[in-house]
Amino acid sequence: MSTRLQHELKKKQPFEVAEQAAALGLVRTNDQLQIHFSRLFRQFGLTPSQYNVLRILRGEGAPLPILEIADRTVTVVPGITGLIDRLEAAGLVKRARCDEDRRVVYVALTSKASKLLAKLDQPVVDLHKRLMGHLSRSELNELTRLLDKVRSGLPESEP
Amino acid sequence: MSTRLQHELKKKQPFEVAEQAAALGLVRTNDQLQIHFSRLFRQFGLTPSQYNVLRILRGEGAPLPILEIADRTVTVVPGITGLIDRLEAAGLVKRARCDEDRRVVYVALTSKASKLLAKLDQPVVDLHKRLMGHLSRSELNELTRLLDKVRSGLPESEP
DNA sequence: CGATAATAGTTTATACGTAAACTAAGTGAG
DNA sequence: CTCACTTAGTTTACGTATAAACTATTATCG
């Protein structure tokens, strides 16, 4: 796997390679991690996106408008509708129209979702440790810092 | 959100939080980068997955069996079929049955694809620099090293 | 040699990401 | 007040990720 990456990098001299290598490494690493998390969530009947939405709602501790949820995930607006649809069909969230502004739809966790999240907490932490545990504390901190720095300098996404 | 939970989390902080922070940073950063790359590729009529397949074929310099391509992308087997279907419909690849082993389907780049890739090379490099250029060379190298280390210690994906 | 297993790939079904076009409800200028 | 504008959300359409079941071909074992 990394042999291919090395190979690819060799072809393009020392100029733009540093940026490219970092970006490719990021994509590849993310892909690998996603495989493991997808598997874990699937064992509990969830997709990564669904888990993400539930986590956001739990973190907020109160119902949120649909578009606010879409903002906090990277989910684009149209995608959020079906996502919430399926969560509602699974009995994990409830929709409720706002009375003051009838355009707004609030989404709230059900107690079923709270219990499911609670059951997932330990396995999620365990998986994080299993996937990242071979890095030292200072390496993890440095990685986090560098990733933050990458994001901080990114051009604006909204056109 | 009881006090007990908060307390519980605080106690765990020094331990598994570093792993979690790094993993979350990775996912978020990747999401942000993907947005920009998707946009660039779309301007050339490609999706990120399609570009990835074309790059792999160019890197190899020769036709590859479909499942070999699937292996090198993170694409799962059934997904690769439609991906190649659409690339073929767009005139960017050709399928060819292997004569020795008639189960195998080789996929080859067309000249149209080679030209398209050539046109994309500079914009891709430019985008990499635009997205990652605010990190110093040594930061980029360190980031790449850490990402490689994450992948090197990952548990096997194949069950 | 023939039944059986393994391999390469496709089909089917569900979920998600994304853009474009649409509906419904609130806002503001004349 | 009313008509244009904005905002919240949904529908539609296409590409992709994934698992499960299926076809076709080759390999293997008894």
Side-chain angles (χ1 to χ4, degrees), chain A residues 42-62:
Chain A
R42 198 175 313 119
Q43 289 171 11
F44 290 79
L46 293 176
T47 66
S49 296
Q50 291 174 351
Y51 177 74
N52 195 17
V53 169
L54 297 182
R55 278 291 292 254
I56 286 170
L57 287 169
R58 181 174 70 172
E60 182 69 15

Side-chain angles (χ1 to χ4, degrees), chain B residues 70-88:
Chain B
D71 268 355
R72 300 200 194 181
T73 60
V74 191
T75 306
V76 148
V77 179
I80 196 71
T81 297
L83 189 45
I84 300 297
D85 283 349
R86 284 179 287 270
L87 283 172
E88 192 168 25

Side-chain angles (χ1 to χ4, degrees), chain A residues 6-57:
Chain A
Q6 302 286 345
H7 188 255
E8 191 131 342
L9 293 181
K10 282 230 169 62
K11 286 196 308 193
K12 299 222 169 148
Q13 287 16 327
F15 283 130
E16 48 276 318
V17 177
E19 283 88 354
Q20 187 139 352
L24 286 179
L26 197 60
V27 171
R28 287 171 166 278
T29 308
N30 182 70
D31 283 346
Q32 303 283 332
L33 293 187
Q34 285 314 307
I35 290 173
H36 295 278
F37 279 103
S38 299
R39 247 176 232 170
L40 172 60
F41 296 142
R42 198 175 313 119
Q43 289 171 11
F44 290 79
L46 293 176
T47 66
S49 296
Q50 291 174 351
Y51 177 74
N52 195 17
V53 169
L54 297 182
R55 278 291 292 254
I56 286 170
L57 287 169

Side-chain angles (χ1 to χ4, degrees), chain A residues 20-108:
Chain A
Q20 187 139 352
L24 286 179
L26 197 60
V27 171
R28 287 171 166 278
T29 308
N30 182 70
D31 283 346
Q32 303 283 332
L33 293 187
Q34 285 314 307
I35 290 173
H36 295 278
F37 279 103
S38 299
R39 247 176 232 170
L40 172 60
F41 296 142
R42 198 175 313 119
Q43 289 171 11
F44 290 79
L46 293 176
T47 66
S49 296
Q50 291 174 351
Y51 177 74
N52 195 17
V53 169
L54 297 182
R55 278 291 292 254
I56 286 170
L57 287 169
R58 181 174 70 172
E60 182 69 15
L64 282 175
I66 281 203
L67 291 197
E68 177 65 27
I69 297 173
D71 267 357
R72 300 200 193 180
T73 59
V74 191
T75 306
V76 147
V77 178
I80 197 71
T81 297
L83 190 45
I84 300 297
D85 283 349
R86 286 178 286 271
L87 283 172
E88 192 169 24
L92 295 171
V93 303
K94 286 269 185 210
R95 273 185 170 94
R97 284 260 168 210
C98 172
D99 286 331
E100 296 124 42
D101 185 340
R102 299 187 39 70
R103 293 169 303 181
V104 178
V105 175
Y106 279 99
V107 178

